[in-house]
Each structure stands twice: as structure tokens, then as C-alpha cells.
Amino acid sequence: MSDNFKNEFFGIGIQNGKTPENLGVLWRSAQNLGASFIFTIGNRYAKQACDTHNAVNAMPYYHYDTFETFFAHLPKGARLVGVELTDTAEPLETFHHPRRCVYLLGAEDHGLSHKAIEKAHFLIKFQSKLSLNVAVAGSIVMYDRGIAKPRC
């Protein structure tokens, strides 16, 4: 591994995920697309039938009861990147991914909490006429990270 990439990592998770299927599919994508860890925030967590690769046992998984606890435990030097359809969010198509970051998605029915939007270092969105399934949205973000040049 070259010196340019040895300190690079990312994690991805969902705040108040709505369905076990979405979380399981996101975890499977996370494992396939190089995430360093996965996580959930809130009390909607359940065993994921769609996690057919058993990502939760193959990579670090963290659960946080509240956003505040999650935010207090961000890895040192990591930037929080919220994925949310807001007017202030930067288009994914022009976003330069931080070398060390944590991507946070909200459930389809509520999106990210106001606190998460306020505390995010970056907010990103991508061209879509309507809100996408959370597993699809997260997979697109991770794929873009894999083909994009990360921020220095």
C-alpha cells in the first residue's frame, strides 16, 4: 500500500434506519466497496436478513443510541459527511471526498436529524428527481468515492 493511501478510511451508517432490508443491503455494499466500518444510530436496529455476506461479522460494526454519542466518538481526524437532499448540500458530482470520513444517511421517512445536518462538516446530494432508497443512495456515494480522487 502506498503512503498516499495508508491513512485513508471511511465508514458508513444510517441514522434511525427504517427497514432491516435497507440496512442489510447497505452493509453488503459497504463490504464490497471498501468501507472500514459500519454503524447505526438510534433504536430501529434489527438483525439484517439481507446482509448475505455477514458484513456485521466481517468488519467493525458500531451502534450508538443517540447522535450526540455517535458524534463524540467520531474517529480522530475524520470528517462527517451527511447525505441529504437540501438546498445547501454540495452536488456529489463535484464533491471531493475527504481521505478520512464517515458518511451518514438518514432513513427514507425522516432523513437526517436537524442536529446531524448542523454538525456535518459536509452535506452532499446527487441528481435525483425524488429521494432514493437509503441503501441505493449509500452505494452510489461509496462507488463515487472509489472512482473519485479523495481530498488531500
Side-chain angles (χ1 to χ4, degrees):
M1 179 178 281
S2 78
D3 288 341
N4 292 339
F5 297 106
K6 72 179 178 182
N7 292 321
E8 184 176 315
F9 67 83
F10 75 93
I12 190 162
I14 300 176
Q15 183 179 31
N16 295 317
K18 183 177 177 182
T19 67
E21 294 80 15
N22 285 342
L23 199 47
V25 171
L26 179 66
W27 287 355
R28 183 176 178 178
S29 293
Q31 187 179 15
N32 287 329
L33 294 170
S36 303
F37 60 92
I38 51 180
F39 64 92
T40 53
I41 303 171
N43 59 5
R44 290 170 122 182
Y45 169 73
K47 178 163 175 23
Q48 307 309 315
C50 293
D51 180 16
T52 58
H53 288 263
N54 207 13
V56 75
N57 288 323
M59 62 194 319
Y61 163 71
Y62 303 97
H63 174 74
Y64 304 95
D65 291 329
T66 66
F67 175 80
E68 290 78 11
T69 304
F70 158 76
F71 192 76
H73 290 91
L74 279 176
K76 187 171 180 74
R79 310 298 279 170
L80 178 58
V81 180
V83 181
E84 186 69 33
L85 285 172
T86 67
D87 292 338
T88 59
E90 185 176 340
L92 178 63
E93 296 82 6
T94 59
F95 182 66
H96 294 282
H97 297 265
R99 288 193 177 278
R100 300 176 188 172
C101 71
V102 177
Y103 297 102
L104 178 60
L105 299 109
E108 292 96 337
D109 56 350
H110 292 86
L112 292 176
S113 68
H114 293 294
K115 181 65 86 178
I117 291 171
E118 174 186 297
K119 292 285 191 177
H121 298 106
F122 303 99
L123 287 174
I124 59 172
K125 63 183 176 184
F126 43 87
Q127 292 181 10
S128 174
K129 295 194 185 299
L130 300 172
S131 177
L132 293 175
N133 168 287
V134 70
V136 171
S139 297
I140 291 169
V141 170
M142 290 185 286
Y143 179 79
D144 186 75
R145 178 188 178 86
I147 63 169
K149 181 178 180 185
R151 187 181 300 251
C152 295

